[in-house]
Amino acid sequence: MRSLFARIFVWLWLAMLSFAVLLVVSSPFFTRSRASLERWQRNVEEHLSQRAEEVATRIAQGENWQVPPADHHGRFRPLPVFVMRPDGSPVDGPEPPSEVVELARRIGRTSQTVSERSGMFHMVGRATTAPDGSPLIAVSAARRPPRLVDLLDPAGLSWRLGVLTALVGIVCYWLARQLAAPVAGLQTVARRLAAGDLAARVDPRVEARRDEIGTLAREFNTMADRIDTLVSAQRRLVRDVSHELRSPLARIRVALELARRRAGSEAIPILDRLEAESDRLDHLIGQLLELSRLESGGLSGGTEPVDLAELATEIAEDAGFEASSREVAVIVDSPGPVVVSGHREALRGAVDNVVRNAIAYTPGATKVRIRVEAQAGWATVTVSDCGPGVPEQDLASVFEPFFRVEEARERGRGGAGLGLAITARAAALHGGSATAANRAEGGLEVILRFPAQGNPVGCS
């Protein structure tokens, strides 16, 4: 059982039920004055009297007086009926206990029927006469005190145990809920926080508890507040710095254009290089702003039906111009329209980042494949290349901002480690996911999953 609630409930229920059953079952044994003991004694005395009378009658009539061994009554098995002479010596059968011998001698002197409890025995003795005229005494005996099972009343015990089981189960269920519910709530909040919901907090009622769970809830909320503050400050810094860089970058572009007009032909290569670097910086700033917008959950405008197959075809055509210089073919494979509900530009950016990343790392004269299909209510876009792939331990990190598998190579190709981070966040905002895996035949495969149109999971 993996559920904490189930484990607490089962163990509490079994422990309390076992203890309660033990008390119910054993209480007659320890409380000798109870009606169950008296009822048992009456039943035993009645049965012993019948056995002694039956044996005495058989002896007087000259019949076989041995009572069959299987003869028993209720839930107890009496000892064999002892037949003795007035001096206490047995006529036949096993040697009788001393208490039985003493009772037989007294009956031999008085010739009266006697019922007696002595030592460990409950005895009933009756005098009789054999056909030859010799006096004999028949003593029927049973051990006392009775065994525990002798005192139990199955009819009454069964319904008591049934009611007890139900009551104990209800109490244990309530106790288990009280113990496990706060932990389950804390688990839910932790999952929300891990998924990026920085506003997730533990219920104030749990936080107000004065036990270890309440302390844990307060510590968790303190941690969540700290994380929220740090992440918000980081996002605000990135956003503010990106905005602030736009103005000097615009002035640099203007200065470059003026310098191009005044400089001679020998300065043109240098100015071209400066313009390329400013374009790269502008692209980086744009990516930072886009990532900041996505991480804040902001997607402008409403959702609309988007055909991912059509979108992938448009992206392949646009990226084909860049890929053709290295003889890389971008191929789209789709059985037909695959429609999702979402923001078209955010979805375009998510897929485009993956495709351009694949083009950058696949060798020349190879292919980048985009496969679009619908599977069990989900739309998947799979982009595969023939590049070197990613070390297994880094596959989960490629979607983190600024992560580079090989920093020098990444910089040489102009990437800043933001494209796949934007892709992952855009997929998450559409209720989907982004994963990466190395292909067996070589290369990297990035899989984007989105809820297909009609799936209840939608954009967030």
Side-chain angles (χ1 to χ4, degrees), residues 100-429:
V100 175
V101 173
E102 179 61 28
L103 179 63
R105 289 173 179 171
R106 282 190 282 116
I107 295 176
R109 292 192 296 270
T110 61
S111 299
Q112 296 179 347
T113 299
V114 178
S115 176
E116 183 177 284
R117 301 168 190 169
S118 176
M120 296 183 61
F121 297 98
H122 193 146
M123 302 171 290
V124 175
R126 186 181 184 281
T128 186
T129 304
D132 60 1
S134 58
L136 296 174
I137 296 92
V139 179
S140 180
R143 291 186 181 275
R144 60 181 299 272
R147 296 171 301 170
L148 177 60
V149 69
D150 295 331
L151 301 180
L152 298 179
D153 180 9
L157 186 63
S158 59
W159 73 265
R160 287 188 179 92
L161 289 179
V163 172
L164 181 64
T165 300
L167 291 177
V168 169
I170 293 174
V171 172
C172 290
Y173 181 86
W174 181 81
L175 288 174
R177 289 290 300 175
Q178 291 295 312
L179 292 173
V183 179
L186 184 61
Q187 182 184 38
T188 300
V189 175
R191 286 176 177 172
R192 289 173 53 197
L193 186 65
D197 183 5
L198 298 181
R201 296 294 185 274
V202 180
D203 193 310
R205 291 174 296 180
V206 179
E207 193 178 12
R209 292 173 59 131
R210 297 186 177 274
D211 54 11
E212 289 80 357
I213 294 178
T215 301
L216 178 61
R218 290 189 291 273
E219 294 293 338
F220 182 90
N221 282 347
T222 301
M223 177 192 69
D225 290 338
R226 180 61 175 163
I227 292 174
D228 189 14
T229 300
L230 292 175
V231 173
S232 298
Q234 180 193 32
R235 290 175 178 174
R236 186 167 53 253
L237 176 64
V238 171
R239 184 176 61 252
D240 293 345
V241 169
S242 300
H243 278 294
E244 290 299 323
L245 286 176
R246 278 288 169 88
S247 296
L249 181 61
R251 290 194 291 271
I252 290 174
R253 286 180 178 276
V254 172
L256 283 174
E257 194 60 34
L258 292 175
R260 188 183 296 276
R261 293 177 183 177
R262 298 178 182 179
S265 58
E266 65 276 4
I268 296 300
I270 299 176
L271 295 176
D272 289 341
R273 178 61 183 271
L274 290 175
E275 186 175 8
E277 292 298 329
S278 65
D279 290 341
R280 179 186 173 193
L281 182 58
D282 184 61
H283 178 69
L284 174 60
I285 293 173
Q287 284 189 317
L288 284 172
L289 291 173
E290 178 68 12
L291 180 62
S292 177
R293 182 175 67 88
L294 292 176
E295 286 186 338
S296 63
L299 287 174
S300 59
T303 61
E304 60 179 308
V306 179
D307 183 357
L308 291 180
E310 178 185 343
L311 189 66
T313 301
E314 295 175 2
I315 293 172
E317 292 175 355
D318 292 340
F321 292 105
E322 176 185 341
S324 61
S325 62
R326 298 175 49 239
E327 298 183 1
V328 174
V330 182
I331 301 174
V332 178
D333 179 16
S334 176
V338 178
V339 181
V340 299
S341 179
H343 298 77
R344 185 178 185 85
E345 289 306 313
L347 291 171
R348 171 188 285 276
V351 178
D352 185 70
N353 285 334
V354 179
V355 173
R356 294 189 181 276
N357 190 75
I359 293 173
Y361 290 108
T362 195
T366 58
K367 298 177 181 178
V368 171
R369 295 185 179 275
I370 308 174
R371 186 171 67 255
V372 183
E373 56 188 340
Q375 296 177 341
W378 291 88
T380 62
V381 179
T382 305
V383 180
S384 55
D385 60 47
C386 300
V390 174
E392 291 293 330
Q393 67 272 16
D394 293 333
L395 285 174
S397 302
V398 295
F399 298 101
E400 296 177 3
F402 300 106
F403 179 82
R404 299 180 178 90
V405 177
E406 295 181 19
E407 187 171 353
R409 185 187 67 174
E410 186 77 18
R411 285 181 176 174
R413 299 198 179 201
L418 292 174
L420 293 182
I422 293 174
T423 293
R425 189 56 188 154
L429 289 175

Side-chain angles (χ1 to χ4, degrees), residues 2-10 172-174 176-178 180-181:
R2 296 184 178 180
S3 169
L4 177 63
F5 167 76
R7 288 201 299 268
I8 292 175
F9 172 71
V10 170
C172 290
Y173 181 86
W174 181 81
R177 289 290 300 175
Q178 291 295 312

Side-chain angles (χ1 to χ4, degrees), residues 18-32:
S18 300
F19 183 69
V21 170
L22 180 63
L23 289 180
V24 170
V25 171
S26 62
S27 58
F29 187 72
F30 294 104
T31 310
R32 299 298 181 85

